[in-house]
Amino acid sequence: MPDNRGVAYMGPGAVEVQTIDFPSFTVQDGPGVPQENVGRECHHGVILKIVSTNICGSDQHMVRGRTTAPEGLILGHEITGEVVEKGRDVEFLDEGDLVSIPFNIACGRCRNCKQQDTGICLTVNPERPGAAYGYVDMGGWVGGQAEYVMVPYADFNCLKFPDKAQAMEKILDLTMLSDIFPTGYHGCVTAGVGPGSTVYVAGAGPVGLAAAHSAQLLGAAVVIVADLNEARLKQAASFGCETVDVSKGDPKDQIEQILGVPEVDAGVDAVGFEARGHGEHASEEQPATVLNSLMDLTRAGGKLGIPGLYVTGDPGASDEAAQEGSLSIRIGLGWAKSHSFATGQCPVMKYHRDLMQAILNDRAQIAKAVNAKVITLDEAPQGYDDFDKGESVKFVINPNGLVKS
């Protein structure tokens, strides 16, 4: 049996690469695993040799200590890999297949899965709807920032690339299909982005940049990206976005300078619960800032897509209400402007096949948009540190040396 290593969360600010168990088709007890899941048989699963696995901003929330994630949790929900073993019940995959794995774990059999709401599968997490690899409160499934990982319900969950050689040539783009490209795209779709739209994306991290690129793919006339980080704003500008530095004050004033009016058709929140204030409050954490700002600057009748993460437990929040996910939202403003809101995990499978085709046929260059950078598994702790410091890079971990630098 091959050895296995993975990136473990070891407490606020600390991750380390550890030797871990080689995956099997039976769920083992471990950090965050509900007792009802221990011993669960997964003969419908496959074991993957990881080709690429990415560091996500959602991982960073845990590593900062801003969730209730248990120590020892193996991180990683953005997974692309090669099938090296398949369970007895797998029918449509073979060893050697190269596949992308949605970060949502879904059974394909429950009511929600059958309605394409795979982000809130009813069966894979005994504690609440929805599950993911290597994430807090998401069923305790072992993460994919490792050399090998087990993927359950493989026939349903795995997106097989039609040409393995072609896929490896475009692997830095295709690795984004597991999360941030569909997530950014979902944010834009649910915000009503279409041909001729004016779009405001709050946040120029990888998901925000993916949303901006998605808005362009959907035909937006103008895409405005806002952030406090100069390097990230420069990255957004590199592929044709307008930019707003919210440290300079109310973004509506800068939007008016760009568009001639202070409102946009569609707003996307790619920041989430660690949002900071605007202008003179830019150094302060104000978790409701982005949501309230989007309601203010999105036109009446517009829509808000909210792929940014909000949590029910934030021990690092500045007040007791925010610690349980209660924020001071100006819902009256949104109601008065007849806004529509879309929240929650992106149902990756709703989008990933079409986005794969866009990549394979050179219609999307998502790796360039998010500034993908390949690192080794042993460099993952430094990658987390650099990402936390605001480096405008999407770190792609190459645990088995299969990705060209």
Side-chain angles (χ1 to χ4, degrees):
M1 183 178 295
D3 294 330
N4 193 20
R5 297 191 304 150
V7 179
Y9 167 67
M10 300 305 295
V15 298
E16 64 179 42
V17 180
Q18 298 181 343
T19 298
I20 61 175
D21 291 338
F22 191 80
S24 72
F25 296 120
T26 303
V27 177
Q28 307 295 321
D29 199 2
V33 180
Q35 285 304 302
E36 300 94 322
N37 257 4
V38 175
R40 184 174 186 155
E41 298 291 333
C42 297
H43 300 295
H44 41 64
V46 295
I47 293 173
L48 299 184
K49 183 176 185 178
I50 301 297
V51 172
S52 59
T53 176
N54 317 322
I55 296 176
C56 181
S58 299
D59 297 320
Q60 199 71 64
H61 291 307
M62 289 188 290
V63 173
R64 290 190 187 115
R66 297 300 299 270
T67 72
T68 55
E71 293 185 13
L73 181 70
I74 301 302
L75 302 168
H77 56 269
E78 301 189 12
I79 301 168
T80 306
E82 178 185 359
V83 177
V84 294
E85 186 177 348
K86 66 179 190 176
R88 71 181 185 211
D89 298 332
V90 175
E91 296 185 61
F92 305 113
L93 295 167
D94 293 306
E95 293 180 9
D97 287 346
L98 185 62
V99 295
S100 175
I101 308 302
F103 76 88
N104 325 105
I105 301 174
C107 72
R109 306 169 184 181
C110 71
R111 173 181 178 175
N112 286 349
C113 284
K114 289 180 178 181
Q115 294 177 168
Q116 289 194 307
D117 291 327
T118 52
I120 44 175
C121 174
L122 298 173
T123 69
V124 288
N125 181 0
E127 297 181 334
R128 65 177 70 183
Y133 304 90
Y135 209 81
V136 59
D137 295 332
M138 287 291 174
W141 299 89
V142 176
Q145 286 176 16
E147 293 171 335
Y148 297 88
V149 74
M150 192 274 287
V151 173
Y153 301 100
D155 281 328
F156 184 66
N157 284 302
C158 296
L159 174 66
K160 178 183 172 180
F161 299 133
D163 184 315
K164 189 174 181 179
Q166 180 194 27
M168 288 303 298
E169 288 296 318
K170 294 180 177 291
I171 194 64
L172 288 185
D173 292 294
L174 294 170
T175 192
M176 307 304 168
L177 290 175
S178 57
D179 183 355
I180 67 164
F181 197 9
T183 292
Y185 192 85
H186 177 64
C188 290
V189 168
T190 54
V193 177
S197 299
T198 57
V199 185
Y200 178 88
V201 179
V207 169
L209 295 172
H213 187 51
S214 297
Q216 294 173 334
L217 193 61
L218 288 163
V222 182
V223 181
I224 303 169
V225 180
D227 207 290
L228 301 160
N229 182 311
E230 183 178 348
R232 290 180 172 180
L233 290 173
K234 184 177 179 180
Q235 179 63 25
S238 73
F239 59 96
C241 299
E242 301 288 343
T243 60
V244 163
D245 184 346
V246 294
S247 71
K248 295 181 179 179
D250 190 334
K252 288 181 71 174
D253 298 332
Q254 296 175 68
I255 290 171
E256 187 167 19
Q257 292 175 18
I258 296 167
L259 298 177
V261 293
E263 291 185 324
V264 295
D265 297 319
V268 179
D269 174 4
V271 178
F273 72 102
E274 288 193 67
R276 296 191 176 274
H278 295 161
E280 62 184 14
H281 301 291
S283 63
E284 304 170 15
E285 191 166 297
Q286 297 182 351
T289 297
V290 171
L291 293 172
N292 288 330
S293 176
L294 284 177
M295 286 186 277
D296 189 35
L297 58 81
T298 301
R299 66 171 177 81
K303 297 180 179 180
L304 277 60
I306 309 173
L309 176 68
Y310 290 87
V311 294
T312 56
D314 175 11
S318 56
D319 60 71
E320 290 185 7
Q323 288 176 8
E324 59 180 27
S326 296
L327 308 182
S328 184
I329 305 297
R330 293 188 65 195
I331 193 64
L333 175 61
W335 189 93
K337 296 177 77 173
S338 294
H339 283 157
S340 298
F341 301 78
T343 66
Q345 290 184 40
C346 165
V348 170
M349 294 177 69
K350 188 176 288 186
Y351 308 107
H352 67 171
R353 186 174 298 277
D354 290 344
L355 293 177
M356 175 188 73
Q357 293 293 355
I359 290 168
L360 294 178
N361 290 284
D362 299 319
R363 298 300 303 274
Q365 290 78 42
I366 186 64
K368 181 179 179 181
V370 301
N371 196 21
K373 179 181 179 180
V374 179
I375 61 175
T376 67
L377 187 66
D378 289 315
E379 291 172 324
Q382 186 62 50
Y384 271 98
D385 188 53
D386 291 343
F387 189 36
D388 190 47
K389 291 176 180 176
E391 188 169 341
S392 186
V393 167
K394 177 66 173 177
F395 288 104
V396 177
I397 301 172
N398 181 21
N400 288 298
L402 300 174
V403 179
K404 297 177 183 177
S405 297

